């Protein structure tokens, strides 16, 4: 976890106690050293006096919102370990991001669509829940949509699987209704902020058809200042075919490579959908293989709770299926490489084995789209 400010200072803030002059000066100096204040409010780093204002403002929000955040996380059975890590995450990560989104949405003057790429265990769900609370506190309405909500119907995916037997499970490129996604994001983007025009938001129930899943009744959105569009390959761009010249486990055969190449080619169909993203955040594990460990842990918890789950061998086959489709070692570097002028990531958050962020890296300055 990001550690730069002692927990005792955060505890003094949320308790409403007055900070000593040395503690307050410590916060000011850390704000100058770290970039979270700068990217949160697009501030002029040369204006030293503004750091006092930022620290005062963030302290006030932290004090007022911490009880609500703790309550919401508990309601959703989301555990942060250690629990005290919630405080630095709010200060360095969640709150600056919410402030940044609110600021950028006001600049753009319409619904702001924030893309979020991350696999299981990287904190997508938690981030969406926390942003909902923080943005409403900042006076903004919020809507979260998953790439999963855009899956093709069960009937259409059955036809697709008959044509492409290697598509064992839903998830890879080609299993989503891209046109539906474009339609929804365009409607959300173009709806006037002062309008309550209803928009149908597709939703997907993974429990239907014995776990194969299917569309369910849509949710009706009447307003949304900020939309979080998240998924395991949101914003991902196709690679040149030369990137697949060498075998990268679990891509170990010509059939595996053909499947990877087909998934890569299908990514081209998603590019018009990515054009509706105003910014893109990447949640990147320090080691991509953590996703297998996290999935095993999640399934073990399901089984311990008396629910059905996969055994370890089945989990490994499941996770490796997605690695064959869009291998992290091949695709993620092109998303974040600063030497690549077209790298789409605006903000990169490294995630540790314990699911906590260890580094937040701003890659681009926000330039509003029309």
């Amino acid at each position: 976890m990001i550690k730069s400010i002692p927990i005792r200072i955060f505890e003094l803030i949320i308790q409403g106690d007055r900070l000593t002059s040395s503690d307050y000066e410590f916060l000011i100096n850390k704000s100058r050293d770290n970039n979270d204040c700068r990217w949160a409010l697009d501030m002029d780093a040369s204006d030293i006096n503004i750091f006092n204002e930022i620290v005062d403002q963030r302290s006030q929000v932290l004090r007022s919102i911490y009880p609500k955040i703790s309550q919401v996380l508990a309601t959703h059975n989301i555990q942060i370990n250690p629990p005290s890590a919630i405080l630095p995450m709010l200060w360095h990560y969640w709150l600056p991001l919410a402030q940044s989104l609110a600021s950028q949405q006001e600049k753009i003057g319409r619904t702001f669509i924030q893309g979020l790429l991350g696999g299981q265990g990287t904190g997508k769900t938690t981030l969406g829940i926390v942003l909902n609370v923080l943005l409403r506190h900042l006076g903004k309405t919020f809507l979260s949509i998953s790439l999963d909500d855009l899956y093709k119907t069960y009937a259409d995916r059955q036809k697709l699987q008959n044509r492409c037997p290697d598509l064992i499970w839903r998830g890879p490129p080609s299993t989503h209704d891209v046109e539906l996604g474009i339609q929804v994001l365009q409607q959300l983007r173009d709806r006037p902020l002062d309008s309550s025009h209803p928009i149908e938001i597709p939703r997907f129930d993974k429990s239907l058809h014995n776990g194969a899943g299917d569309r369910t009744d849509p949710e009706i959105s009447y307003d949304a200042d900020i939309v979080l569009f998240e998924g395991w390959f949101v914003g991902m761009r196709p690679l040149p075919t030369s990137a697949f010249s060498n075998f990268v486990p679990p891509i170990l055969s010509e059939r595996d490579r053909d499947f990877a190449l087909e998934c890569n080619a299908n990514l081209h169909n998603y590019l018009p959908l990515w054009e509706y993203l105003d910014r893109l955040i990447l949640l990147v594990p320090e080691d991509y293989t953590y996703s297998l460990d996290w999935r095993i842990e999640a399934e073990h918890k399901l089984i311990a709770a008396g629910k059905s789950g996969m055994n370890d061998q089945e989990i490994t086959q499941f996770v490796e299926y997605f690695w064959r489709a869009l291998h992290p070692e091949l695709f993620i570097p092109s998303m974040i490489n600063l030497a690549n002028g077209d790298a789409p990531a605006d903000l990169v958050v490294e995630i540790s084995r314990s699911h906590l962020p260890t580094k937040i890296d701003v890659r681009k300055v926000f330039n509003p789209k029309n």
Side-chain angles (χ1 to χ4, degrees), residues 56-73:
D56 290 342
Q57 180 193 63
R58 193 172 298 181
S59 297
Q60 181 181 359
V61 176
L62 180 66
R63 185 181 305 115
S64 60
I65 205 67
Y66 174 73
K68 178 66 173 177
I69 294 293
S70 299
Q71 177 187 359
V72 168
L73 292 177

Side-chain angles (χ1 to χ4, degrees), residues 67-324:
K68 178 66 173 177
I69 294 293
S70 299
Q71 177 187 359
V72 168
L73 292 177
T75 300
H76 287 85
N77 198 29
I78 296 174
Q79 298 178 348
I80 306 295
N81 293 312
S84 59
I86 295 175
L87 294 167
M89 287 178 73
L90 272 167
W91 187 271
H92 292 294
Y93 178 26
W94 292 334
L95 181 52
L97 178 56
Q99 290 176 314
S100 176
L101 289 171
S103 173
Q104 292 164 2
Q105 187 273 325
E106 289 172 3
K107 286 183 177 181
I108 209 167
R110 59 162 172 78
T111 295
F112 187 91
I113 302 177
Q114 173 66 66
L116 177 64
L117 183 156
Q120 179 174 334
T122 55
K124 297 193 306 298
T125 300
T126 301
L127 181 58
I129 290 170
V130 170
L131 284 178
N132 186 31
V133 175
L134 289 173
L135 286 167
R136 291 184 183 279
H137 181 82
L138 297 174
K140 300 296 180 182
T141 54
F142 176 80
L143 174 68
S144 180
I145 306 175
S146 173
L147 185 63
D148 292 354
D149 291 319
L150 301 181
Y151 278 131
K152 294 176 178 178
T153 64
Y154 174 75
D156 286 342
R157 282 182 289 113
Q158 289 296 103
K159 295 175 184 177
L160 180 63
Q161 189 174 17
N162 290 335
R163 296 196 305 270
C164 309
D166 286 333
L167 285 172
I168 305 172
W169 292 291
R170 63 177 184 263
S174 79
T175 60
H176 305 88
D177 188 336
V178 175
E179 290 302 318
L180 175 63
I182 291 173
Q183 174 187 331
V184 171
L185 292 188
Q186 183 172 354
Q187 288 178 334
L188 289 166
R189 185 195 65 182
D190 295 344
R191 179 173 56 187
L193 293 177
D194 58 354
S195 169
S196 59
H197 175 70
I199 297 174
E200 290 190 353
I201 307 300
R203 295 305 186 195
F204 189 85
D205 187 341
K206 297 179 181 179
S207 68
L208 299 176
H209 301 290
N210 297 317
D214 205 351
R215 298 256 181 89
T216 188
D217 293 338
E219 175 186 342
I220 305 301
S221 166
Y222 292 96
D223 61 353
D225 295 319
I226 294 159
V227 172
L228 183 69
F229 181 46
E230 56 87 2
W232 76 282
F233 68 87
V234 165
M236 194 172 281
R237 269 65 169 176
L239 299 174
T241 55
S242 59
F244 302 86
S245 57
N246 297 320
F247 289 124
V248 180
I251 302 174
L252 298 174
S253 67
E254 289 297 338
R255 180 172 179 174
D256 291 340
R257 180 153 52 191
D258 288 343
F259 177 61
L261 285 168
E262 182 176 0
C263 290
N264 182 65
N266 287 332
L267 273 179
H268 285 278
N269 298 326
Y270 290 73
L271 296 180
L273 180 61
W274 307 155
E275 285 298 311
Y276 286 87
L277 305 179
D278 291 303
R279 281 176 69 86
L280 180 64
I281 299 172
L282 262 65
L283 306 180
V284 183
E286 293 173 328
D287 185 332
Y288 78 89
T289 61
Y290 290 165
S291 60
L292 175 57
D293 300 330
W294 291 334
R295 186 62 192 238
I296 290 174
E297 291 170 358
E299 293 290 325
H300 286 182
K301 288 180 180 178
L302 284 176
I303 295 172
K307 300 178 182 179
S308 61
M310 294 184 284
N311 62 41
D312 289 1
Q313 182 179 357
E314 291 170 333
I315 297 167
T316 300
Q317 292 173 344
F318 181 78
V319 172
E320 289 185 349
Y321 167 74
F322 288 92
W323 287 347
R324 281 194 295 274

